[in-house]
Amino acid sequence: MAKTKAKKETKGTQDFSKYIRWFWILFSVGILAVALIFSAASWGWLGAMPDHTQLENPKTHLATEIISADGVTLGKYYFNDNRTPVAFEDLSPHLVDALIATEDARFHEHSGIDARGTLRAFAFLGKRGGASTISQQLARQLFVGVRTNNIFETITQKIKEWVIAIKLERQYTKEEIIAQYFNVYDFGNNGDGIRSASRIYFNKEPKNLDIKEAAMLVGMFKNSSFYNPIPSRNPVGVKNRRNVVLLQMEKYGYINEQVKDSLQKTELDLDFTPESHREGLATYFRGYLAGFMKDWIKNNPKPDGTNWNLYNDGLKIYTTIDSRMQKYAEDAVQQHMPKLQAEFFHQNTPDRNPTAPFLDLTNGAIDTLMQRSMKQSERWRHMKYDLKKPDKEIEDSFYKPVQMTVFEWKNGKPSERDTIMKPIDSMRYYKSFLRTGMMSMNPQTGHVKAWVGGMNYRHFQYDMVKQGKRQIGSTFKPLVYATAVDQLHLSPCDELPDTPFCIEANKHGNPEEWCPKNSNLNYGGTRTLKNALANSVNTITARLIDKVGPQTVIDLARKLGIESDIPPVPSIALGTPDLSVYEMVGAYATFANKGVYTKPVMVTTIEDKNGTILYQFSPETNDVLSAETAYVTVKLMEGVTQSGSGVRLRTKGADANRADYREVVTGYPYEFTNPIAGKTGTTQNQSDGWFMGMVPNLVTGVWVGGEERAVHFKSITYGQGAAMALPIWGLYMKSCYADESLNISKEDFEEPANLSILVDCSKANEKTVIDDDKDEIPDDLDFN
C-alpha cells in the first residue's frame, strides 16, 4: 500500500512538473509570438508603417491663415481641411483635463499602452470600456485609419496602433501628443482641429474656453457626427455627452461636485460662427488676396522647386488690415445701404417707373442689356462650357422658374429668402440693388486698413475696390487743381471769373468745341479757387485744365499710381475716366503724405508652417509733388467740408428715427469738428456717387452706384455723392474716432516749413453761393 501510494505521489509530482513545464513553454512561445508579431508590425510585414521622418512630420493638410495687423484671424484658405495647429500652451487647461479624464485617466503613467485597461478589455470583452490610450487614438488618426469590419484586419490594425503609439511616446512629449490629438481631430462643420472648432462653435481661441465649453468639445471625440450641436439632430444626446465628460472630470478630481452639478444644468450656449470663404470678416479682401497669393506662388517656388499649395501647406499671411477698422467699415456699409436701398425701391415701384430698376432706357435697350448679361453670367458659362449645352437650350433655361435663395435687406441687415423665380427675373432683381466699394489706408505707410468690396460676398462677389472701375466725377478735380498749383503756383485765394467758358476745337486734342456748364446755370463775378472746388464749379475747373493742359494732369495721375486709361482731352477735368476706389485712395493719400506717393500695401509678411519668413514687403514710394503743393491742395479740399458739398459732416443732422427718409440720408448726426479734407463726386444722371475723405493719418474712399449705369436715382437729392457715399464715410469715421486705441488723428494737417503760398483767405474774399442751413436741397444745384 505504501509503495503504491508513493508511486502515485511520484507520478503526480511528475505530471505537475510536466504541466508547469508546458505552461512555461507555452508562455514563452506566447511571449515570443507577441514579440514576433510586434516586430513584424514594426518591420512593416503587417502593412506599411510610418518611418522616423513620417513620425517627425505627420502628413496633415493645414489651412493657410490670414492674420490682421492686430493679430486676429480674418479667415483661411482650405479645400477640405480647415486646420490650423496650436501648441500645447495655447490650449485651455480645461481641455486637457477633460480629455484625460474622459479618454485616458492614466495617460501620464503609461508609455503608449495602458496595461490595466488592456487586460480589463480582454477580460470583459470590451463591455467595461475600451483600452485605447490617447497615443493609440492619435496613431489611428494619423497613420492607421478607420477600423474595418474584417476581424483579421481589425486585429492587425490594433497591433499597428500599439506599435505606433509606443513610437509616438518615444518621439514626442506627453504635451505634444495631447496637442497633436486636438489638432488632428475633425469636429465637423469645417472644424478641423481644436482651433477651428473652438472658433466655429464658441467664437473663441482654444486657450479661452471655459469648463463646459471644453467638456462639450471633448465629448465630441466619441462621435463628432452624432454628438454635433450644429445641426442639432440630437440635442439631448449632445448635452448628455457633455455632462458625462463633466462627471468624469469630477470623478478624477479636476472639478468638485458642486461645480459639476451647476454646470450640468446649463445650456450649451453656443456662439456658432461658420468659417467659410464667403462668410466672416473682410470677405472681399480675402478674395483679392487669393489672387495676390496665386501670383506670388507662381514666382516663389519652394527650395525643392515645387510650388506652395495655398490650401494645404499651412502658410501664414500677415496683412495690414485692422480687424477693428474693417468691422467699422462693414458696419457703416450695412447701416447706410439698407436705408438707401429702401428709398431706391420706393422711387422705382412699377407705377412710378415701369422700366424699373432701369431709368432712361427703352424696352428694346433693356432686352439687349439683359441678353448681354445673360451671356456673361456664371449660369451661362457653366451650361455652355462644363455641360456643353447648345445656346438655345441655355437661353430657354433662363425663362423656366426654379427654386433659389436670393439676397434681401431685412430689418436693416443682410438676409436671404427662399423663392421660386425665373433666372432672368433674378438677374433683373439683383441689378436693382445699389452696390458699394470702400477702402481706407494710412497715407504714411501705405497700409490698407479696411477693404469693403460690396454688401454681401455670398451674393455679390464682384469686388468694387480694385476690380470694378467707374466714372469718378468731380473727385478727379483735385488732381486738376494740384497740377495748377504745382505748375502755376496758384493760391486757394486766387480768383477766376465765374462765367461761361469754352475750349475751342483742336486745342488740347479736343475734336470739337467744349463748353461745360455749371449745374445751377448761374454765372457772374469771380470765385476763389477754394470756393470753386468746394462748390464744384465746372467752368473754373475747365479754365484750369485749359491753362495746364490735359496731358500734364494725366502725367500727375500716373505718378499718383493711377494706371487706368485716361484720354488726353479736356473733359477729363470733370471726371469722365473710369477708375477704381483703390487707385483714387492711393492718389489722394499722396496729398496727405506731403507729396510722397506710397503704393498701397496689403501684405507685410508670409511665413511657412514652421514660422520661416518667405516674403517681406518693401515699401514703394515716389516723390511726386512738393510738400507745399500737397499742403495747398489739402487746404483747397478742406473747403469742401467747411462750406461745400461735404459740409453736412459738420452738422448735427436729422433725427434718424423719422419716417421722412430724405432727412436720414442727408443728415446723419456726424458733428465732426476736426480738420477734414475731401471731395464729393457725382456722375452724369447720378449713376455714381463718390466721397473721398482725409485726415492726417487716414484716407478713405467710398463709391456707391448700380451694377448698370441705367440703375440710378432720378434726382440729385438722393443721387449725389454727398447722399450716397458720404454717409458711409461719416459713420465709419465716427466709429474709428470712438475707438481711441486706433489713434486716428483729429489734428491739423502739418504745414510745411517756409510756406510761400497764401492759404488763409479772409472771409470777406470768399463767396458763399449755397445756403447749407436750408432743409430742402433743390434738384438743380450742383453737389458734385
Side-chain angles (χ1 to χ4, degrees):
M1 291 288 295
K3 289 183 178 180
T4 303
K5 184 178 180 181
K7 287 182 180 179
K8 288 182 178 180
E9 289 177 351
T10 301
K11 187 174 185 302
T13 301
Q14 291 174 343
D15 290 343
F16 180 75
S17 298
K18 182 172 65 175
Y19 294 145
I20 293 295
R21 187 168 57 255
W22 275 108
F23 169 79
W24 283 110
I25 290 173
L26 292 174
F27 180 79
S28 300
V29 169
I31 294 294
L32 182 61
V34 170
L36 286 173
I37 290 172
F38 273 79
S39 298
S42 181
W43 297 331
W45 292 358
L46 299 183
M49 293 286 282
D51 57 22
H52 176 79
T53 302
Q54 290 171 310
L55 287 171
E56 185 78 27
N57 295 288
K59 188 175 182 180
T60 54
H61 291 163
L62 304 179
T64 289
E65 189 175 7
I66 308 161
I67 304 169
S68 72
D70 54 322
V72 174
T73 298
L74 295 174
K76 300 176 185 178
Y77 297 122
Y78 61 91
F79 276 134
N80 296 316
D81 293 346
N82 177 25
R83 180 175 288 104
T84 302
V86 295
F88 180 83
E89 295 75 22
D90 295 320
L91 296 173
S92 165
H94 305 307
L95 279 170
V96 179
D97 294 345
L99 178 67
I100 293 175
T102 308
E103 298 290 332
D104 191 354
R106 287 178 292 277
F107 175 69
H108 289 291
E109 300 170 12
H110 63 68
S111 297
I113 299 175
D114 181 5
R116 286 171 57 186
T118 301
L119 290 174
R120 184 193 66 232
F122 275 122
F124 296 98
L125 301 177
K127 293 180 180 179
R128 294 191 180 180
S132 289
T133 64
I134 292 172
S135 303
Q136 287 175 252
Q137 293 179 54
L138 177 60
R140 185 190 312 154
Q141 290 277 344
L142 290 176
F143 302 110
V144 178
V146 180
R147 290 275 174 83
T148 68
N149 293 323
N150 183 291
I151 185 64
F152 175 76
E153 291 182 356
T154 297
I155 294 172
T156 302
Q157 285 180 321
K158 194 66 178 178
I159 293 170
K160 291 170 69 175
E161 279 179 23
W162 284 340
V163 173
I164 296 171
I166 294 171
K167 288 186 175 183
L168 287 173
E169 291 272 353
R170 293 174 180 171
Q171 187 81 27
Y172 298 103
T173 65
K174 290 287 188 179
E175 290 76 15
E176 289 172 331
I177 288 173
I178 286 178
Q180 282 199 62
Y181 187 58
F182 273 115
N183 285 327
V184 76
Y185 193 73
D186 180 0
F187 292 87
N189 294 306
N190 290 326
D192 300 303
I194 190 61
R195 176 136 191 268
S196 296
S198 61
R199 286 166 55 87
I200 288 170
Y201 293 115
F202 296 107
N203 198 20
K204 289 184 177 181
E205 292 296 326
K207 62 183 177 183
N208 297 324
L209 293 169
D210 62 26
I211 297 174
K212 70 174 186 177
E213 293 165 345
M216 193 209 82
L217 291 172
V218 168
M220 293 175 70
F221 279 118
K222 188 173 181 68
N223 187 323
S224 63
S225 177
F226 187 73
Y227 295 110
N228 197 306
I230 304 292
S232 190
R233 300 188 184 95
N234 181 24
V236 175
V238 174
K239 188 175 178 180
N240 287 344
R241 179 60 188 164
R242 181 205 64 179
N243 289 348
V244 167
V245 176
L246 292 171
L247 179 65
Q248 290 294 104
M249 294 180 74
E250 187 263 337
K251 176 182 177 180
Y252 290 102
Y254 293 108
I255 58 176
N256 59 40
E257 185 176 5
Q258 183 180 2
V259 171
K260 182 259 295 181
D261 290 342
S262 64
L263 290 178
Q264 285 184 335
K265 296 174 184 177
T266 63
E267 298 301 320
L268 297 177
D269 294 331
L270 301 173
D271 184 4
F272 187 58
T273 310
E275 287 190 346
S276 74
H277 306 302
R278 296 185 179 186
E279 294 175 291
L281 205 59
T283 47
Y284 289 91
F285 172 75
R286 285 188 269 148
Y288 156 78
L289 189 59
F292 173 91
M293 289 302 300
K294 182 179 180 181
D295 291 339
W296 181 85
I297 288 171
K298 187 188 303 180
N299 298 310
N300 294 274
K302 296 180 182 179
D304 62 5
T306 61
N307 287 332
W308 294 98
N309 189 312
L310 180 62
Y311 302 96
N312 293 335
D313 282 344
L315 300 176
K316 291 186 182 296
I317 308 171
Y318 293 89
T319 73
T320 62
I321 298 294
D322 186 293
S323 69
R324 298 161 295 180
M325 298 173 75
Q326 180 68 31
K327 184 178 187 305
Y328 300 150
E330 294 183 12
D331 287 348
V333 166
Q334 292 190 12
Q335 186 173 343
H336 177 63
M337 291 304 293
K339 297 187 175 91
L340 190 67
Q341 189 67 51
E343 179 62 29
F344 184 79
F345 283 147
H346 175 70
Q347 293 186 18
N348 282 277
T349 55
D351 57 322
R352 290 191 174 110
N353 177 21
T355 61
F358 309 107
L359 284 171
D360 311 320
L361 288 185
T362 64
N363 287 327
I366 292 173
D367 289 341
T368 301
L369 183 153
M370 295 303 297
Q371 285 288 322
R372 183 185 71 240
S373 298
M374 183 192 302
K375 294 184 178 181
Q376 293 172 345
S377 69
E378 178 62 24
R379 181 185 183 87
W380 184 284
R381 188 208 64 76
H382 173 65
M383 294 186 70
K384 184 172 182 65
Y385 299 106
D386 296 340
L387 303 181
K388 309 297 182 184
K389 300 292 185 181
D391 288 2
K392 181 65 169 60
E393 182 178 343
I394 299 173
E395 186 169 346
D396 289 345
S397 73
F398 278 82
Y399 294 90
K400 296 177 181 177
V402 295
Q403 189 171 358
M404 63 178 69
T405 301
V406 298
F407 173 85
E408 66 176 358
W409 291 111
K410 187 174 183 179
N411 299 324
K413 295 182 179 180
S415 184
E416 294 181 334
R417 171 168 54 90
D418 292 331
T419 187
I420 296 176
M421 190 181 294
K422 297 175 184 176
I424 192 70
D425 292 337
S426 73
M427 289 174 58
R428 189 160 180 163
Y429 170 75
Y430 276 112
K431 287 183 185 296
S432 68
F433 282 91
L434 299 172
R435 319 294 175 89
T436 188
M438 176 184 183
M439 182 176 127
S440 191
M441 156 181 163
N442 181 302
Q444 285 76 41
T445 63
H447 288 191
V448 175
K449 296 298 181 181
W451 178 305
V452 185
M455 307 170 303
N456 183 275
Y457 191 73
R458 179 180 292 274
H459 293 278
F460 306 93
Q461 293 186 21
Y462 194 77
D463 175 38
M464 291 306 301
V465 168
K466 200 169 191 292
Q467 192 176 11
K469 297 181 180 182
R470 294 296 290 261
Q471 263 191 358
I472 52 174
S474 292
T475 54
F476 193 76
K477 287 178 180 177
L479 276 68
V480 179
Y481 279 70
T483 305
V485 171
D486 185 56
Q487 298 291 312
L488 307 174
H489 211 65
L490 296 179
S491 161
C493 310
D494 289 337
E495 296 184 349
L496 286 175
D498 182 15
T499 57
F501 178 77
C502 292
I503 296 178
E504 61 267 26
N506 301 318
K507 184 179 182 182
H508 301 312
N510 217 35
E512 56 186 28
E513 186 179 58
W514 182 57
C515 302
K517 298 178 180 178
N518 295 334
S519 293
N520 56 18
L521 301 179
N522 292 326
Y523 304 94
T526 61
R527 287 179 185 258
T528 63
L529 293 186
K530 187 173 184 179
N531 180 279
L533 182 62
N535 295 290
S536 213
V537 180
N538 291 337
T539 54
I540 290 182
T541 309
R543 289 179 184 275
L544 291 177
I545 201 167
D546 182 47
K547 291 178 182 294
V548 299
Q551 189 58 52
T552 310
V553 177
I554 293 171
D555 292 343
L556 174 62
R558 294 285 176 253
K559 293 177 183 178
L560 296 176
I562 295 175
E563 298 178 349
S564 299
D565 181 55
I566 303 177
V569 294
S571 61
I572 63 171
L574 306 187
T576 55
D578 287 356
L579 304 181
S580 67
V581 172
Y582 172 90
E583 290 174 304
M584 292 299 292
V585 171
Y588 269 64
T590 307
F591 302 129
N593 194 31
K594 303 178 181 179
V596 179
Y597 170 75
T598 301
K599 186 175 181 180
V601 177
M602 283 72 75
V603 177
T604 57
T605 308
I606 301 172
E607 294 178 354
D608 68 11
K609 65 180 181 181
N610 299 314
T612 303
I613 295 176
L614 307 175
Y615 164 85
Q616 208 156 22
F617 92 102
S618 298
E620 297 181 35
T621 62
N622 183 27
D623 291 338
V624 177
L625 296 167
S626 68
E628 182 177 54
T629 298
Y631 181 73
V632 171
T633 306
V634 167
K635 300 307 285 186
L636 279 163
M637 286 191 282
E638 281 187 357
V640 174
T641 67
Q642 292 169 348
S643 61
S645 55
V647 74
R648 61 190 59 179
L649 290 172
R650 308 292 183 186
T651 62
K652 291 184 178 181
D655 182 357
N657 294 317
R658 286 183 54 176
D660 183 352
Y661 174 67
R662 186 205 163 283
E663 294 290 345
V664 176
V665 88
T666 60
Y668 288 103
Y670 310 114
E671 299 183 83
F672 295 118
T673 58
N674 56 291
I676 299 171
K679 188 70 189 80
T680 54
T682 310
T683 62
Q684 188 175 15
N685 295 327
Q686 301 80 238
S687 293
D688 306 276
W690 289 80
F691 184 71
M692 305 295 302
M694 304 190 298
V695 295
N697 64 350
L698 194 65
V699 177
T700 305
V702 183
W703 166 87
V704 174
E707 178 186 354
E708 306 291 342
R709 297 186 193 277
V711 176
H712 59 81
F713 282 103
K714 188 174 183 180
S715 73
I716 202 170
T717 302
Y718 295 94
Q720 60 181 292
M724 290 210 293
L726 179 144
I728 294 175
W729 189 94
L731 292 167
Y732 167 67
M733 289 300 292
K734 279 187 73 71
S735 296
C736 287
Y737 279 133
D739 188 340
E740 295 182 357
S741 67
L742 296 176
N743 295 316
I744 304 302
S745 175
K746 291 186 177 181
E747 305 301 317
D748 288 315
F749 290 87
E750 185 179 350
E751 180 179 313
N754 303 317
L755 181 66
S756 63
I757 298 177
L758 178 66
V759 294
D760 186 13
C761 310
S762 67
K763 292 183 179 180
N765 291 330
E766 295 210 74
K767 299 177 174 59
T768 303
V769 178
I770 299 171
D771 181 2
D772 294 298
D773 291 329
K774 290 183 179 179
D775 288 334
E776 288 298 321
I777 302 176
D779 290 348
D780 59 351
L781 290 186
D782 176 19
F783 273 77
N784 289 352

